[in-house]
């Protein structure tokens, strides 16, 4: 498997970066696509793929994305504040439960989550070239794991 690492200059993939596996007849049983599923922490099409692409193929682009613009920064700050609010509410409820059980006084508020306030970096793995590619438009959508279909019936791969 050829892997090319690149740092994406935007926060969203372009059409050119889309994984070609979604339109390949071999997607349901391919070892290379199984590798991509593992990296994306997604359910597998099959647990034991039997098809392996030719040596030296496919080419996988790895796009590394970090916060690139003010909108990304704003969205990330909103996510962190939502998490902080939820964690504070959990910690306050826990503190109240402990007070009710011990008749204790005011103590410092501690949550269960330790925050990493650095920006989020994501990795996107896309097969962009494969010697064994066999076009079958919509193959992945027709065969997507039921777990993904149930979680998001309108899911569109990217």
């Amino acid at each position: 498997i050829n892997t090319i690492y690149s740092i994406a200059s935007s926060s969203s993939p372009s059409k050119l970066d889309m994984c070609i596996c979604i339109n390949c007849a071999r997607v349901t049983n391919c070892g290379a696509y199984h590798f991509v599923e593992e990296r994306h922490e997604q359910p597998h099409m099959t647990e034991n793929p039997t098809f392996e692409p030719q040596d030296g193929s496919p080419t996988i682009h790895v796009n590394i994305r970090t916060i690139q613009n003010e909108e990304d920064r704003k969205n990330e700050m909103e996510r962190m504040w939502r998490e902080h609010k939820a964690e504070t509410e959990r910690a306050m409820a826990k503190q109240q439960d402990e007070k009710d059980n011990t008749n204790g006084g005011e103590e410092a508020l501690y949550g269960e989550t330790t925050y990493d306030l650095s920006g989020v970096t994501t990795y996107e793995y896309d097969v962009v070239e494969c010697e064994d590619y066999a076009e079958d438009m919509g193959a992945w959508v027709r065969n997507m794991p039921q777990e993904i279909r149930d979680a998001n019936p309108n899911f569109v791969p990217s």
Side-chain angles (χ1 to χ4, degrees), residues 9 18 21 29 32 61 72 91 112-113 129:
S9 60
M18 194 161 82
C21 297
N29 202 29
H61 282 188
D72 288 349
E112 295 177 9
T113 300
E129 186 178 336

Side-chain angles (χ1 to χ4, degrees), residues 107-120:
E107 292 186 25
L109 189 62
Y110 294 101
E112 295 177 9
T113 300
T114 302
Y115 294 97
D116 176 2
L117 298 180
S118 61
V120 173

Side-chain angles (χ1 to χ4, degrees), residues 89-125:
E89 289 170 359
R90 280 191 296 273
M92 290 173 69
K94 182 179 178 183
Q95 186 182 56
Q96 186 61 47
D97 287 346
E98 289 171 359
K99 274 188 199 177
D100 292 346
N101 292 332
T102 63
N103 288 329
E106 282 295 315
E107 292 186 25
L109 189 62
Y110 294 101
E112 295 177 9
T113 300
T114 302
Y115 294 97
D116 176 2
L117 298 180
S118 61
V120 173
T121 300
T122 60
Y123 300 86
E124 179 73 21
Y125 295 79

Side-chain angles (χ1 to χ4, degrees), residues 10-72:
S10 71
S11 61
S12 60
S14 71
K15 284 286 190 194
L16 297 176
D17 292 337
M18 194 161 82
C19 186
I20 64 173
C21 297
I22 64 170
N23 293 318
C24 181
R26 296 181 171 94
V27 70
T28 59
N29 202 29
C30 179
Y33 187 69
H34 194 268
F35 169 85
V36 170
E37 289 172 318
E38 285 177 353
R39 295 306 174 273
H40 286 233
E41 298 178 355
Q42 293 295 313
H44 292 296
M45 291 280 202
T46 182
E47 289 303 319
N48 300 303
T50 58
F51 177 77
E52 288 295 330
Q54 296 176 41
D55 251 359
S57 184
T59 298
I60 299 175
H61 282 188
V62 180
N63 293 296
I64 304 167
R65 293 186 178 87
T66 57
I67 292 174
Q68 295 292 322
N69 56 45
E70 197 55 40
E71 183 179 348
D72 288 349

